Amino acid sequence: MVRVRKVKQLMAAALVAVAGSAWAEVKVSDLTKQAKVTAFEIKGNRVDRFTVKTLPEELKGLPLVYVPRGSHQNPGTGYSFKVDAPVMVYLLVDARRAGQLKFEGWEKSELKASWLAGGTEYQDVIFVKEFPAGKVEIPANPKDCIPHSAVIKEK
């Protein structure tokens, strides 16, 4: 009985690992402006030195594209990348400025995430937009907030 339970646990863990690595099917390429790609995970990068504290379970393990912050006294930079399949892009936007920004074609979702900076927790509002295979453009952030990050989910 113990052996059967252990086998079931191992099989469940393997399924989770495979599901979490499914993002490898979407190829992300041609990143601009020092953009980097990593997995969206707790304690992973949100931007450079800022780490993810909470995230929506349905986005866990998906590819996250971000750019370095630079000086908070200056506006950030927009960036782009290419995907080889149709995708939904979830845009993480610093909640301190989210209400002041307009994102053409992006819809505000009910999803939320948070990140840590110097031990202080900050919130992200998450916007979503569909993109066909090809170039994805991410808008620049204003000063006094961190750059927007993009989580990519294959449609």
Side-chain angles (χ1 to χ4, degrees), residues 13-47:
L15 286 173
V16 168
V18 169
S21 66
W23 68 270
E25 294 176 17
V26 175
K27 183 180 176 195
V28 179
S29 63
D30 296 339
L31 289 90
T32 62
K33 308 286 183 186
Q34 299 178 330
K36 299 175 185 174
V37 63
T38 188
F40 189 37
E41 299 191 346
I42 301 294
K43 296 186 180 177
N45 284 347
R46 161 62 171 82
V47 171

mmCIF file of all heavy atoms in Angstrom, residues 13-47:
data_model
loop_
_atom_site.group_PDB
_atom_site.id
_atom_site.type_symbol
_atom_site.label_atom_id
_atom_site.label_comp_id
_atom_site.label_asym_id
_atom_site.label_seq_id
_atom_site.Cartn_x
_atom_site.Cartn_y
_atom_site.Cartn_z
ATOM 1 N N ALA A 13 4.044 14.068 -9.400
ATOM 2 C CA ALA A 13 5.153 15.019 -9.489
ATOM 3 C C ALA A 13 5.678 15.122 -10.918
ATOM 4 O O ALA A 13 5.993 16.204 -11.396
ATOM 5 C CB ALA A 13 6.277 14.613 -8.533
ATOM 6 N N ALA A 14 5.772 13.999 -11.603
ATOM 7 C CA ALA A 14 6.235 14.000 -12.994
ATOM 8 C C ALA A 14 5.271 14.765 -13.886
ATOM 9 O O ALA A 14 5.691 15.526 -14.761
ATOM 10 C CB ALA A 14 6.408 12.567 -13.494
ATOM 11 N N LEU A 15 3.972 14.586 -13.665
ATOM 12 C CA LEU A 15 2.975 15.318 -14.464
ATOM 13 C C LEU A 15 3.078 16.817 -14.229
ATOM 14 O O LEU A 15 2.993 17.609 -15.160
ATOM 15 C CB LEU A 15 1.567 14.826 -14.142
ATOM 16 C CG LEU A 15 1.193 13.468 -14.707
ATOM 17 C CD1 LEU A 15 -0.162 13.025 -14.165
ATOM 18 C CD2 LEU A 15 1.186 13.493 -16.220
ATOM 19 N N VAL A 16 3.270 17.222 -12.986
ATOM 20 C CA VAL A 16 3.431 18.641 -12.679
ATOM 21 C C VAL A 16 4.677 19.180 -13.362
ATOM 22 O O VAL A 16 4.676 20.259 -13.941
ATOM 23 C CB VAL A 16 3.484 18.866 -11.150
ATOM 24 C CG1 VAL A 16 3.936 20.275 -10.818
ATOM 25 C CG2 VAL A 16 2.128 18.585 -10.536
ATOM 26 N N ALA A 17 5.770 18.434 -13.323
ATOM 27 C CA ALA A 17 7.020 18.873 -13.960
ATOM 28 C C ALA A 17 6.835 19.042 -15.457
ATOM 29 O O ALA A 17 7.290 20.017 -16.043
ATOM 30 C CB ALA A 17 8.136 17.880 -13.672
ATOM 31 N N VAL A 18 6.140 18.108 -16.088
ATOM 32 C CA VAL A 18 5.889 18.198 -17.528
ATOM 33 C C VAL A 18 4.993 19.386 -17.832
ATOM 34 O O VAL A 18 5.249 20.167 -18.739
ATOM 35 C CB VAL A 18 5.282 16.881 -18.066
ATOM 36 C CG1 VAL A 18 4.774 17.062 -19.482
ATOM 37 C CG2 VAL A 18 6.310 15.775 -18.003
ATOM 38 N N ALA A 19 3.935 19.566 -17.043
ATOM 39 C CA ALA A 19 3.024 20.698 -17.269
ATOM 40 C C ALA A 19 3.756 22.018 -17.089
ATOM 41 O O ALA A 19 3.577 22.947 -17.857
ATOM 42 C CB ALA A 19 1.837 20.614 -16.305
ATOM 43 N N GLY A 20 4.615 22.097 -16.066
ATOM 44 C CA GLY A 20 5.359 23.321 -15.817
ATOM 45 C C GLY A 20 6.366 23.630 -16.897
ATOM 46 O O GLY A 20 6.721 24.777 -17.110
ATOM 47 N N SER A 21 6.838 22.618 -17.609
ATOM 48 C CA SER A 21 7.824 22.857 -18.656
ATOM 49 C C SER A 21 7.179 22.991 -20.028
ATOM 50 O O SER A 21 7.865 23.122 -21.020
ATOM 51 C CB SER A 21 8.844 21.722 -18.686
ATOM 52 O OG SER A 21 8.227 20.515 -19.081
ATOM 53 N N ALA A 22 5.853 23.002 -20.069
ATOM 54 C CA ALA A 22 5.149 23.090 -21.352
ATOM 55 C C ALA A 22 5.476 24.377 -22.100
ATOM 56 O O ALA A 22 5.355 24.444 -23.305
ATOM 57 C CB ALA A 22 3.636 22.981 -21.134
ATOM 58 N N TRP A 23 5.929 25.410 -21.373
ATOM 59 C CA TRP A 23 6.234 26.678 -22.030
ATOM 60 C C TRP A 23 7.365 26.548 -23.022
ATOM 61 O O TRP A 23 7.517 27.378 -23.902
ATOM 62 C CB TRP A 23 6.503 27.770 -21.007
ATOM 63 C CG TRP A 23 7.740 27.646 -20.192
ATOM 64 C CD1 TRP A 23 7.868 27.011 -19.006
ATOM 65 C CD2 TRP A 23 9.026 28.205 -20.470
ATOM 66 N NE1 TRP A 23 9.141 27.131 -18.520
ATOM 67 C CE2 TRP A 23 9.880 27.863 -19.401
ATOM 68 C CE3 TRP A 23 9.541 28.954 -21.521
ATOM 69 C CZ2 TRP A 23 11.208 28.252 -19.341
ATOM 70 C CZ3 TRP A 23 10.863 29.339 -21.472
ATOM 71 C CH2 TRP A 23 11.685 28.993 -20.400
ATOM 72 N N ALA A 24 8.145 25.489 -22.897
ATOM 73 C CA ALA A 24 9.257 25.296 -23.819
ATOM 74 C C ALA A 24 8.754 25.123 -25.248
ATOM 75 O O ALA A 24 9.511 25.285 -26.192
ATOM 76 C CB ALA A 24 10.095 24.092 -23.400
ATOM 77 N N GLU A 25 7.475 24.825 -25.405
ATOM 78 C CA GLU A 25 6.901 24.668 -26.737
ATOM 79 C C GLU A 25 6.807 25.995 -27.479
ATOM 80 O O GLU A 25 6.844 26.028 -28.688
ATOM 81 C CB GLU A 25 5.516 24.014 -26.629
ATOM 82 C CG GLU A 25 5.593 22.590 -26.110
ATOM 83 C CD GLU A 25 4.226 21.981 -25.902
ATOM 84 O OE1 GLU A 25 3.233 22.511 -26.437
ATOM 85 O OE2 GLU A 25 4.156 20.976 -25.202
ATOM 86 N N VAL A 26 6.647 27.098 -26.758
ATOM 87 C CA VAL A 26 6.623 28.420 -27.383
ATOM 88 C C VAL A 26 8.057 28.928 -27.430
ATOM 89 O O VAL A 26 8.698 29.078 -26.402
ATOM 90 C CB VAL A 26 5.759 29.422 -26.587
ATOM 91 C CG1 VAL A 26 5.844 30.809 -27.200
ATOM 92 C CG2 VAL A 26 4.327 28.965 -26.506
ATOM 93 N N LYS A 27 8.546 29.165 -28.615
ATOM 94 C CA LYS A 27 9.909 29.669 -28.753
ATOM 95 C C LYS A 27 9.887 31.189 -28.681
ATOM 96 O O LYS A 27 9.175 31.846 -29.438
ATOM 97 C CB LYS A 27 10.515 29.207 -30.072
ATOM 98 C CG LYS A 27 11.952 29.632 -30.233
ATOM 99 C CD LYS A 27 12.544 29.158 -31.543
ATOM 100 C CE LYS A 27 13.956 29.684 -31.701
ATOM 101 N NZ LYS A 27 14.427 29.550 -33.064
ATOM 102 N N VAL A 28 10.660 31.748 -27.757
ATOM 103 C CA VAL A 28 10.802 33.193 -27.590
ATOM 104 C C VAL A 28 12.177 33.561 -28.129
ATOM 105 O O VAL A 28 13.187 32.994 -27.716
ATOM 106 C CB VAL A 28 10.678 33.596 -26.105
ATOM 107 C CG1 VAL A 28 10.864 35.097 -25.946
ATOM 108 C CG2 VAL A 28 9.347 33.144 -25.533
ATOM 109 N N SER A 29 12.212 34.511 -29.069
ATOM 110 C CA SER A 29 13.486 34.877 -29.691
ATOM 111 C C SER A 29 13.538 36.369 -29.978
ATOM 112 O O SER A 29 12.572 37.091 -29.752
ATOM 113 C CB SER A 29 13.663 34.090 -31.004
ATOM 114 O OG SER A 29 12.640 34.434 -31.924
ATOM 115 N N ASP A 30 14.645 36.812 -30.505
ATOM 116 C CA ASP A 30 14.863 38.204 -30.923
ATOM 117 C C ASP A 30 14.500 39.207 -29.835
ATOM 118 O O ASP A 30 13.849 40.213 -30.102
ATOM 119 C CB ASP A 30 14.093 38.509 -32.214
ATOM 120 C CG ASP A 30 14.585 37.691 -33.394
ATOM 121 O OD1 ASP A 30 15.723 37.197 -33.338
ATOM 122 O OD2 ASP A 30 13.821 37.525 -34.357
ATOM 123 N N LEU A 31 14.945 38.942 -28.617
ATOM 124 C CA LEU A 31 14.695 39.855 -27.508
ATOM 125 C C LEU A 31 15.492 41.136 -27.700
ATOM 126 O O LEU A 31 16.648 41.096 -28.114
ATOM 127 C CB LEU A 31 15.093 39.201 -26.178
ATOM 128 C CG LEU A 31 14.178 38.078 -25.722
ATOM 129 C CD1 LEU A 31 14.636 36.745 -26.245
ATOM 130 C CD2 LEU A 31 14.120 38.040 -24.221
ATOM 131 N N THR A 32 14.889 42.287 -27.394
ATOM 132 C CA THR A 32 15.567 43.573 -27.540
ATOM 133 C C THR A 32 15.813 44.213 -26.183
ATOM 134 O O THR A 32 15.305 43.760 -25.168
ATOM 135 C CB THR A 32 14.715 44.552 -28.385
ATOM 136 O OG1 THR A 32 13.481 44.800 -27.699
ATOM 137 C CG2 THR A 32 14.442 44.015 -29.767
ATOM 138 N N LYS A 33 16.581 45.278 -26.197
ATOM 139 C CA LYS A 33 16.797 46.133 -25.024
ATOM 140 C C LYS A 33 17.243 45.374 -23.785
ATOM 141 O O LYS A 33 16.727 45.587 -22.703
ATOM 142 C CB LYS A 33 15.522 46.923 -24.695
ATOM 143 C CG LYS A 33 14.924 47.682 -25.831
ATOM 144 C CD LYS A 33 15.731 48.898 -26.163
ATOM 145 C CE LYS A 33 15.005 49.647 -27.279
ATOM 146 N NZ LYS A 33 15.711 50.735 -27.785
ATOM 147 N N GLN A 34 18.161 44.492 -23.924
ATOM 148 C CA GLN A 34 18.704 43.712 -22.807
ATOM 149 C C GLN A 34 17.648 42.835 -22.137
ATOM 150 O O GLN A 34 17.764 42.484 -20.967
ATOM 151 C CB GLN A 34 19.348 44.623 -21.763
ATOM 152 C CG GLN A 34 20.495 45.444 -22.280
ATOM 153 C CD GLN A 34 21.057 46.364 -21.218
ATOM 154 O OE1 GLN A 34 20.369 46.823 -20.319
ATOM 155 N NE2 GLN A 34 22.347 46.660 -21.326
ATOM 156 N N ALA A 35 16.592 42.514 -22.849
ATOM 157 C CA ALA A 35 15.528 41.673 -22.282
ATOM 158 C C ALA A 35 16.069 40.281 -21.975
ATOM 159 O O ALA A 35 16.983 39.793 -22.635
ATOM 160 C CB ALA A 35 14.354 41.592 -23.254
ATOM 161 N N LYS A 36 15.493 39.675 -20.956
ATOM 162 C CA LYS A 36 15.866 38.332 -20.538
ATOM 163 C C LYS A 36 14.597 37.508 -20.398
ATOM 164 O O LYS A 36 13.520 38.047 -20.156
ATOM 165 C CB LYS A 36 16.592 38.377 -19.193
ATOM 166 C CG LYS A 36 17.872 39.180 -19.232
ATOM 167 C CD LYS A 36 18.484 39.305 -17.858
ATOM 168 C CE LYS A 36 19.706 40.217 -17.942
ATOM 169 N NZ LYS A 36 20.272 40.490 -16.649
ATOM 170 N N VAL A 37 14.726 36.196 -20.525
ATOM 171 C CA VAL A 37 13.587 35.305 -20.340
ATOM 172 C C VAL A 37 13.928 34.275 -19.267
ATOM 173 O O VAL A 37 15.048 33.781 -19.209
ATOM 174 C CB VAL A 37 13.150 34.638 -21.674
ATOM 175 C CG1 VAL A 37 14.233 33.763 -22.240
ATOM 176 C CG2 VAL A 37 11.868 33.869 -21.521
ATOM 177 N N THR A 38 12.967 34.026 -18.384
ATOM 178 C CA THR A 38 13.121 33.074 -17.295
ATOM 179 C C THR A 38 11.744 32.475 -17.016
ATOM 180 O O THR A 38 10.766 32.841 -17.660
ATOM 181 C CB THR A 38 13.706 33.778 -16.041
ATOM 182 O OG1 THR A 38 14.020 32.797 -15.064
ATOM 183 C CG2 THR A 38 12.747 34.791 -15.463
ATOM 184 N N ALA A 39 11.651 31.593 -16.060
ATOM 185 C CA ALA A 39 10.350 31.029 -15.668
ATOM 186 C C ALA A 39 9.723 31.932 -14.602
ATOM 187 O O ALA A 39 10.414 32.462 -13.732
ATOM 188 C CB ALA A 39 10.522 29.618 -15.133
ATOM 189 N N PHE A 40 8.408 32.100 -14.668
ATOM 190 C CA PHE A 40 7.658 32.900 -13.694
ATOM 191 C C PHE A 40 7.392 32.025 -12.477
ATOM 192 O O PHE A 40 6.537 31.146 -12.517
ATOM 193 C CB PHE A 40 6.355 33.381 -14.341
ATOM 194 C CG PHE A 40 5.578 34.390 -13.525
ATOM 195 C CD1 PHE A 40 6.206 35.366 -12.776
ATOM 196 C CD2 PHE A 40 4.195 34.363 -13.547
ATOM 197 C CE1 PHE A 40 5.475 36.304 -12.060
ATOM 198 C CE2 PHE A 40 3.455 35.289 -12.835
ATOM 199 C CZ PHE A 40 4.094 36.268 -12.083
ATOM 200 N N GLU A 41 8.149 32.273 -11.410
ATOM 201 C CA GLU A 41 8.050 31.430 -10.214
ATOM 202 C C GLU A 41 8.283 32.256 -8.956
ATOM 203 O O GLU A 41 8.941 33.300 -8.998
ATOM 204 C CB GLU A 41 9.079 30.298 -10.283
ATOM 205 C CG GLU A 41 8.855 29.403 -11.459
ATOM 206 C CD GLU A 41 9.661 28.124 -11.426
ATOM 207 O OE1 GLU A 41 10.602 28.011 -10.632
ATOM 208 O OE2 GLU A 41 9.339 27.253 -12.219
ATOM 209 N N ILE A 42 7.752 31.743 -7.847
ATOM 210 C CA ILE A 42 7.994 32.358 -6.548
ATOM 211 C C ILE A 42 9.506 32.418 -6.328
ATOM 212 O O ILE A 42 10.222 31.464 -6.608
ATOM 213 C CB ILE A 42 7.325 31.549 -5.412
ATOM 214 C CG1 ILE A 42 5.807 31.431 -5.620
ATOM 215 C CG2 ILE A 42 7.665 32.138 -4.040
ATOM 216 C CD1 ILE A 42 5.041 32.723 -5.537
ATOM 217 N N LYS A 43 9.981 33.544 -5.844
ATOM 218 C CA LYS A 43 11.401 33.832 -5.591
ATOM 219 C C LYS A 43 12.215 33.980 -6.875
ATOM 220 O O LYS A 43 13.414 34.177 -6.829
ATOM 221 C CB LYS A 43 12.041 32.800 -4.664
ATOM 222 C CG LYS A 43 11.442 32.807 -3.279
ATOM 223 C CD LYS A 43 12.184 31.871 -2.348
ATOM 224 C CE LYS A 43 11.548 31.900 -0.978
ATOM 225 N NZ LYS A 43 12.186 30.957 -0.062
ATOM 226 N N GLY A 44 11.566 33.897 -8.036
ATOM 227 C CA GLY A 44 12.251 34.153 -9.295
ATOM 228 C C GLY A 44 12.308 35.640 -9.565
ATOM 229 O O GLY A 44 11.738 36.449 -8.827
ATOM 230 N N ASN A 45 12.983 36.037 -10.615
ATOM 231 C CA ASN A 45 13.086 37.452 -10.968
ATOM 232 C C ASN A 45 11.757 37.997 -11.464
ATOM 233 O O ASN A 45 11.086 37.383 -12.275
ATOM 234 C CB ASN A 45 14.127 37.669 -12.070
ATOM 235 C CG ASN A 45 15.533 37.586 -11.552
ATOM 236 O OD1 ASN A 45 15.766 37.597 -10.348
ATOM 237 N ND2 ASN A 45 16.480 37.503 -12.458
ATOM 238 N N ARG A 46 11.389 39.175 -10.973
ATOM 239 C CA ARG A 46 10.306 39.962 -11.574
ATOM 240 C C ARG A 46 10.986 40.969 -12.498
ATOM 241 O O ARG A 46 10.613 41.168 -13.615
ATOM 242 C CB ARG A 46 9.476 40.605 -10.467
ATOM 243 C CG ARG A 46 8.602 41.783 -10.854
ATOM 244 C CD ARG A 46 7.532 41.439 -11.867
ATOM 245 N NE ARG A 46 6.610 42.554 -12.024
ATOM 246 C CZ ARG A 46 6.832 43.602 -12.798
ATOM 247 N NH1 ARG A 46 7.943 43.687 -13.510
ATOM 248 N NH2 ARG A 46 5.964 44.576 -12.882
ATOM 249 N N VAL A 47 12.021 41.598 -11.970
ATOM 250 C CA VAL A 47 12.931 42.482 -12.708
ATOM 251 C C VAL A 47 14.230 42.491 -11.912
ATOM 252 O O VAL A 47 14.202 42.748 -10.706
ATOM 253 C CB VAL A 47 12.392 43.922 -12.811
ATOM 254 C CG1 VAL A 47 13.428 44.856 -13.387
ATOM 255 C CG2 VAL A 47 11.118 43.979 -13.634
#
